[in-house]
Amino acid sequence: MRAVDKNMLHWMAITFVLFPVLILLGIFMRTVQGGGLGTLQSWFYPMMTLHGVGMVGVWYVASMACAADALGRYCDPSPAIGRFALVGTVIGVALLLVCVFAGRFAAGWYFLYPLPFKGEWPAWSAITFLLSLTVLGATWLVWTLDLLRAIAKKYSLAQALGWHYLAGRSEPAVPPAVLIITVSLIACVAGLLSGVIVLVLFYAELFAGVSNDALLMKNLTFFFGHTIVNLAMYLGVALVYDALPDYAGRPWKTNRIVAIAWNAVLLIVLVAYFHHLYMDFVQPGAVQYIGQIASYASAIPSSVVTIFGALLLLYRARMRWNLASLLFILGLMGWAIGGIGAVIDSTISANVRLHNTLWVPAHFHTYMVGGLALLCIGYFYHRCQQAVGLPERAGLQVFAVVAMLAGAYGFLLMFYLSGAYSVPRRYALYPSELRLGTGFAAVAAGFATLFLVGFLAYLREMGRRWLGAFAKAA
């Protein structure tokens, strides 16, 4: 069996440390919204900023690390660039912690212009936040380009995108994970470049006094943010294509349908972000309709083909169920449920009622907590168990999965119900007219705590495997 690279094990360790801390921040926020922790309510928005940027960043780098590890079966990503990405991410996170805890920066993870310049926090805090994003964005861009280089060294662009399958040829055989990762990384380059541009414009205003157009800045920000969050999910889905066949005892091959679906994603996903700007009425009307059509068109091919493919893989297979295979299937389920919530919200007639409600965090938390997080931690377990082959404790694994699943969906249900009842998002405290939201928030904090208990049980089962894999990697 292929040993786990030490760099990958470092990424796992970072995730195992940061994820529980970020969960605690989420519990803190929902507790405040539920009417508790009165003396700490002034920290709500700084913690919202740290929680948002932290969760997006942790699961983006976790999905990238897993994708790099999966690619290691087929090509040769640079170990040096992998270490560079690790160091750069740690530096970026350190800057983020400084600006939030020392500077109380609180513009939110979306940092919409001109919010970083308008808050009560000191100017150096906003600059430190922008520097944090600069370090992270530049680091991840270099990492992405290196993974594309590794793919290009073995496959031509047409081969990596599976275009020969469209022409009816099956040679050379391209693993579906390579196809999906290639599609995702190409789009990631576009998203990260958009992030670089918006940061340059922020700096131009900060240091040269050049005024920026708010609508342009918002478009660039959401092109960056929406794209990398969605593509992190696609990288997680690629892991299922790559690892689930080991448990089903059957191959999952690329074919014409898979190639069509994922090339459609590459064509469409870059314009789906327009659904974030329906409320910006100055946007050209045609762009708004493109956003709705693209939101449907980018979601349906990849999800339908993947979910039906997974079901066919499992059908009458002598499936080997363990923590990894369970988390893969449950992660796909979370992706599908979150996708339905997102498609509803991306429909213009629904969005005018749901846009500024808790329905929005409902669907993206479903993506992240019920989808991408489960896929990544499933892959972590899969790789370490491959390396060490320790006996598996079915009781502890079932407890971990049930606690995480019940905690996640109880937590998410409170968001969806709040959105359906028009409880607004981004409120630290709800007025008496919205006391329903206060009750939902308090219940959500309890379910999030249950999820955390389940994740700690997962860590107990995972810890020995990580240590064994680390000893073998040394």
Side-chain angles (χ1 to χ4, degrees), residues 53 56 105 107-117 129-130 133 140 187-203 205 212-230 269-270 272-277 280 283 425-426:
V53 177
V56 169
F105 183 77
W109 85 270
Y110 32 80
F111 64 100
L112 285 179
Y113 174 87
L115 280 177
F117 302 146
F129 177 80
L130 296 175
L133 294 185
W140 297 345
C188 276
V189 170
L192 290 169
L193 285 175
S194 175
V196 170
I197 293 169
V198 79
L199 287 169
V200 168
L201 293 175
F202 266 115
Y203 290 131
E205 178 159 339
N212 285 298
D213 179 84
L215 188 60
L216 171 63
M217 297 291 278
K218 189 171 184 179
N219 273 271
L220 289 169
T221 301
F222 276 110
F223 183 88
F224 158 67
H226 178 270
T227 300
I228 67 166
V229 168
N230 272 264
V269 71
L270 296 179
Y273 84 92
F274 285 127
H275 65 236
H276 286 282
L277 289 93
D280 295 275
Q283 284 265 91
R425 56 180 169 148
R426 303 193 190 102

Side-chain angles (χ1 to χ4, degrees), residues 275-294:
H275 65 236
H276 286 282
L277 289 93
Y278 290 154
M279 297 296 104
D280 295 275
F281 304 115
V282 71
Q283 284 265 91
V287 168
Q288 310 290 40
Y289 291 115
I290 289 170
Q292 176 169 319
I293 295 167

Side-chain angles (χ1 to χ4, degrees), residues 351-373:
N351 185 270
V352 295
R353 293 169 174 79
L354 298 175
H355 179 79
N356 277 318
T357 73
L358 286 174
W359 187 278
V360 177
H363 83 69
F364 68 67
H365 277 83
T366 310
Y367 266 152
M368 301 299 282
V369 178
L372 181 58

Side-chain angles (χ1 to χ4, degrees), residues 168-200:
R169 300 191 305 274
S170 58
E171 294 296 332
V174 178
V178 172
L179 167 59
I180 298 167
I181 291 170
T182 302
V183 166
S184 302
L185 294 178
I186 290 171
C188 276
V189 170
L192 290 169
L193 285 175
S194 175
V196 170
I197 293 169
V198 79
L199 287 169
V200 168

Side-chain angles (χ1 to χ4, degrees), residues 11 14 18 61 83-99 128-140:
W11 283 117
I14 287 172
L18 293 182
V61 295
R83 290 189 292 273
F84 167 80
L86 187 68
V87 172
T89 299
V90 170
I91 293 171
V93 169
L95 290 170
L96 177 63
L97 293 173
V98 168
C99 78
T128 305
F129 177 80
L130 296 175
L131 286 174
S132 169
L133 294 185
T134 302
V135 171
L136 293 172
T139 299
W140 297 345

Side-chain angles (χ1 to χ4, degrees), residues 54-392:
M55 282 295 193
V56 169
V58 161
W59 294 114
Y60 180 78
V61 295
S63 68
M64 282 285 288
C66 291
D69 182 79
L71 282 177
R73 294 178 60 184
Y74 313 107
C75 50
D76 298 306
S78 166
I81 296 297
R83 290 189 292 273
F84 167 80
L86 187 68
V87 172
T89 299
V90 170
I91 293 171
V93 169
L95 290 170
L96 177 63
L97 293 173
V98 168
C99 78
V100 170
F101 284 107
R104 299 185 78 152
F105 183 77
W109 85 270
Y110 32 80
F111 64 100
L112 285 179
Y113 174 87
L115 280 177
F117 302 146
K118 299 296 184 181
E120 297 178 356
W121 47 85
W124 69 261
S125 178
I127 295 171
T128 305
F129 177 80
L130 296 175
L131 286 174
S132 169
L133 294 185
T134 302
V135 171
L136 293 172
T139 299
W140 297 345
L141 181 59
V142 171
W143 194 12
T144 301
L145 291 173
D146 177 71
L147 296 183
L148 285 171
R149 175 206 58 79
I151 295 169
K153 196 170 179 181
K154 183 167 182 180
Y155 304 98
S156 69
L157 178 62
Q159 290 171 347
L161 291 174
W163 290 352
H164 53 294
Y165 291 98
L166 305 181
R169 300 191 305 274
S170 58
E171 294 296 332
V174 178
V178 172
L179 167 59
I180 298 167
I181 291 170
T182 302
V183 166
S184 302
L185 294 178
I186 290 171
C188 276
V189 170
L192 290 169
L193 285 175
S194 175
V196 170
I197 293 169
V198 79
L199 287 169
V200 168
L201 293 175
F202 266 115
Y203 290 131
E205 178 159 339
L206 190 63
F207 297 114
V210 177
S211 251
N212 285 298
D213 179 84
L215 188 60
L216 171 63
M217 297 291 278
K218 189 171 184 179
N219 273 271
L220 289 169
T221 301
F222 276 110
F223 183 88
F224 158 67
H226 178 270
T227 300
I228 67 166
V229 168
N230 272 264
L231 295 172
M233 186 72 234
Y234 294 154
L235 292 174
V237 170
L239 306 176
V240 181
Y241 279 83
D242 199 58
L244 194 59
D246 291 351
Y247 299 92
R250 295 173 174 173
W252 194 347
K253 297 181 180 179
T254 304
N255 55 34
R256 180 181 291 182
I257 299 299
V258 171
I260 290 172
W262 287 99
N263 275 271
V265 169
L266 179 58
L267 288 172
I268 299 165
V269 71
L270 296 179
V271 292
Y273 84 92
F274 285 127
H275 65 236
H276 286 282
L277 289 93
Y278 290 154
M279 297 296 104
D280 295 275
F281 304 115
V282 71
Q283 284 265 91
V287 168
Q288 310 290 40
Y289 291 115
I290 289 170
Q292 176 169 319
I293 295 167
S295 299
Y296 281 67
S298 66
I300 293 172
S302 58
S303 58
V304 169
V305 168
T306 299
I307 291 166
F308 273 95
L311 291 174
L312 288 172
L313 188 74
L314 269 59
Y315 181 67
R316 291 190 174 180
R318 296 193 175 188
M319 192 70 188
R320 178 165 61 92
W321 292 106
N322 73 347
L323 189 53
S325 53
L326 278 170
L327 290 172
F328 287 146
I329 297 303
L330 293 172
L332 289 182
M333 183 180 80
W335 177 41
I337 295 170
I340 292 169
V343 166
I344 291 171
D345 185 50
S346 69
T347 305
I348 293 173
S349 58
N351 185 270
V352 295
R353 293 169 174 79
L354 298 175
H355 179 79
N356 277 318
T357 73
L358 286 174
W359 187 278
V360 177
H363 83 69
F364 68 67
H365 277 83
T366 310
Y367 266 152
M368 301 299 282
V369 178
L372 181 58
L374 299 186
L375 296 178
C376 289
I377 65 174
Y379 189 79
F380 290 166
Y381 183 88
H382 164 72
R383 289 292 288 122
C384 288
Q385 178 64 9
Q386 274 187 333
V388 298
L390 292 176
E392 298 182 285

